[in-house]
Amino acid sequence: MGVIEVESEQQFTELTKSNDSKLIALYFHTPWAGPCKTMNQVYKTLADSKAQDPSILFLSINADDLSEISELFDVSAVPYFILIRKQTILKELSGADPKEFIAALNQFSGSSDYSQSSNVSNTQATNSNLNGTQPTADEPAEETEEALNERLTKLTTAAPIMLFMKGSPSSPQCGFSRQLVAILREHQVRFGFFDILKDDSVRQGLKKFSDWPTFPQLYINGEFQGGLDIIKENLEEDDQFFENALNA
C-alpha cells in the first residue's frame, strides 16, 4: 500500500479506527523544514518495501495543514514519528534519524527483515547529509574544520528558526533548553531543532561558530540570535521579535 497521505481529520479517524489492530506509523512533516525533505523519501522507501505487509500502516501528516491532529499528539517539532497500536502510543521519535525509526519499527512490528531497507535508507540519508541533522552512529570520528563549518552552515539554515538544545522539545535535558522551548511554543513559533548531546562535533564546533560558549542557541535565517537570556531580553524590548527577525 505504501504511504497514505492524510488529507483530513475525518480520514485520519477512519483510517486509525478501521486499522486498530495494525501497527500504525504516523509521520508528521512540513514543507518548510529542511530535514523533512530527506525524511519524506526515507519514509516512502520504508513503506514501499513493506507494501505487501498487511500488519503495518504508514500514514503521512502535514503538521501545518492538519494542526488538529498535531495538537492531539502534542507535536511541536518536525520530523516527528509516532507508532501506535490499538489506540495506544508505543513509541515517539523526534528528529531525522532513520536508524532510530527503523529500530523502533523492528521492535514493535516483530519483523527482522528490515535490514535491506535500512541499508537503502541510510545510504540515501548519508548522501543527502541527513547525518548532519541527526547524526548516525556511522558518522566519521574526525572531521576537518572546513567540513564541520560547512555542516554547521547547513544545520543553522535547515529551518527558518533553528534551536540547538540539549535533548528534544518533547524531552529537554536541561532547564535552559526547556525554558526556551516553552517560549517558542508560547509565541506559536515553528522551529527545527538539533540535539547537541547526539553529536559532540557540533556541540563543540558551534561554540566557535557562534562565538557563544553555552546552550541552547537560537538561529533565525541562519543568523545567531543568542541564548535564553538574550532571547528573553529581545522579547521584553519587542514582543514581535520572532516575526521581525524572520522578515529582516
Side-chain angles (χ1 to χ4, degrees), residues 124-160:
Q124 291 175 337
T126 301
N127 290 341
S128 302
N129 289 320
L130 181 59
N131 61 333
T133 302
Q134 284 292 335
T136 68
D138 296 331
E139 185 176 308
E142 294 184 2
E143 189 174 19
T144 66
E145 184 175 358
E146 182 180 357
L148 176 59
N149 284 335
E150 182 179 350
R151 188 154 68 96
L152 292 175
T153 299
K154 290 180 180 179
L155 281 174
T156 55
T157 57

Side-chain angles (χ1 to χ4, degrees), residues 4 8 59-60 75 106 113 125 134 148 195 207 223 227 245 247:
I4 298 176
S8 67
L59 303 183
S60 178
V75 174
N106 286 341
D113 59 353
Q134 284 292 335
L148 176 59
D195 181 359
K207 294 177 183 180
E223 295 292 330
N247 297 325

Side-chain angles (χ1 to χ4, degrees), residues 52-155:
Q52 304 304 315
D53 187 343
S55 67
I56 306 176
L57 183 68
F58 292 85
L59 303 183
S60 178
I61 303 164
N62 186 313
D64 282 346
D65 293 345
L66 299 172
S67 57
E68 300 90 348
I69 302 176
S70 302
E71 291 171 5
L72 177 65
F73 290 96
D74 196 26
V75 174
S76 60
V78 291
Y80 201 86
F81 299 90
I82 301 175
L83 296 177
I84 62 176
R85 183 187 282 122
K86 295 183 178 180
Q87 300 182 13
T88 299
I89 294 177
L90 305 175
K91 186 79 172 181
E92 295 182 72
L93 300 169
S94 187
D97 186 342
K99 284 186 175 180
E100 191 175 11
F101 175 65
I102 291 167
L105 207 56
N106 286 341
Q107 178 184 354
F108 294 105
S109 68
S111 173
S112 60
D113 59 353
Y114 270 87
S115 58
Q116 183 175 357
S117 61
S118 173
N119 290 336
V120 170
S121 299
N122 285 313
T123 299
Q124 291 175 337
T126 301
N127 290 341
S128 302
N129 289 320
L130 181 59
N131 61 333
T133 302
Q134 284 292 335
T136 68
D138 296 331
E139 185 176 308
E142 294 184 2
E143 189 174 19
T144 66
E145 184 175 358
E146 182 180 357
L148 176 59
N149 284 335
E150 182 179 350
R151 188 154 68 96
L152 292 175
T153 299
K154 290 180 180 179
L155 281 174

